[in-house]
Amino acid sequence: MSYNTILFEIEGSVAVIRFNRPKALNAINPEVVAEVNDALEKIESNPSVRVLILTGEGEKAFVAGADIAFMANLSPLAARKFSRDGQDLLFRLEELPIPVIACVNGFALGGGTEIALACDFVYASENAKFGQPEINLGIIPGFGGTQRLARLVGKGMAKEMIMTGAMISAEEAKRIGLVNKVFSPEKLWEETMKTANLLTTKGKVSLKAAKNCIDRGYDVDLRSGCYVESDTFGLCMTSSDGKEGMTAFLEKRKPDFKGELI
Ligand code: CAA
């Protein structure tokens, strides 16, 4: 599949998806959803990919939301389908067995904030803006924003953002826990790649296990989450990485993680 709305590349073991509709500030339409799905399929079937970065092409936007021109005349059923397709895509992204970093280089509004929420963590440039402005269009977030935002930043903060539709700065997004780190626009990519490269040196199985425990445990009670952790902790010993990591420590050398099962 060749892509019209995204750029997709694999640099070493780091995959990069760039939303690429700069004239519409990288807004999401069904073609974007289909193309990102296709890229995720390629990543899922390529064991050499260890990290995924999502970013926006151009200097102005990460993603300025769902495509309003596309949505303007949708029937209720078609709008429901668009919302479900977007949600399914973001579940797929969230459940990818490798770390996913959102590198937010400008506007991340509506669906853009929702994409960032489905990533494992968010790095943003000082000029990035976040928000759920759907209320200003007479609608509500449709790609999981009412759910993930409240879980991440708390109900009160999520309600204020969703009900006022106001944009917040990258620093404010960091203060409320939506963004991990803020960099100058010049440094954002370099710092994101630095972390991505660091993650490629970690055990593939243990990264997947940690991600799975945090995500699966988040929505259940503490004891059930801890049971998931114990089961997964045991399963880590079925990979060569657990043996390698601990042996390397005892032998006072750097581990060489291969991510293989034993
Ligand atoms: N959909 C479609 N086109 C969009 C768009 C969007 N979400 N956001 C921007 N564009 C287009 C503009 O229409 C404009 O196109 P033209 O040049 O053809 O007129 C172009 O991108 C540049 O945008 P602006 O001229 O508006 O740029 P600006 O710097 O003045 O403003 C902005 C930037 C504040 C981000 C403004 O574009 C804006 O408010 N965009 C809409 C943001 C929004 O409401 N997002 C939520 C969408 S709904 C959603 O996402 C629902 C969901 O959860 C699924």
Side-chain angles (χ1 to χ4, degrees), residues 21-25 27 60 64-69 71 82 107 109-112 114 132-134 137 139-143 167:
R21 298 184 70 215
K23 285 188 183 143
L25 301 189
K60 205 166 164 185
D67 189 318
I68 300 167
M71 288 190 304
F82 183 50
F107 289 110
L109 302 175
E114 290 167 305
Q132 297 285 172
E134 291 86 350
L137 302 168
I139 57 174
I140 63 166
F143 290 175
M167 284 188 235

Side-chain angles (χ1 to χ4, degrees), residues 167-183:
M167 284 188 235
I168 60 170
S169 67
E171 276 303 336
E172 174 68 354
K174 180 171 172 249
R175 197 186 65 75
I176 65 173
L178 174 53
V179 161
N180 293 65
K181 287 184 178 152
V182 179
F183 300 102

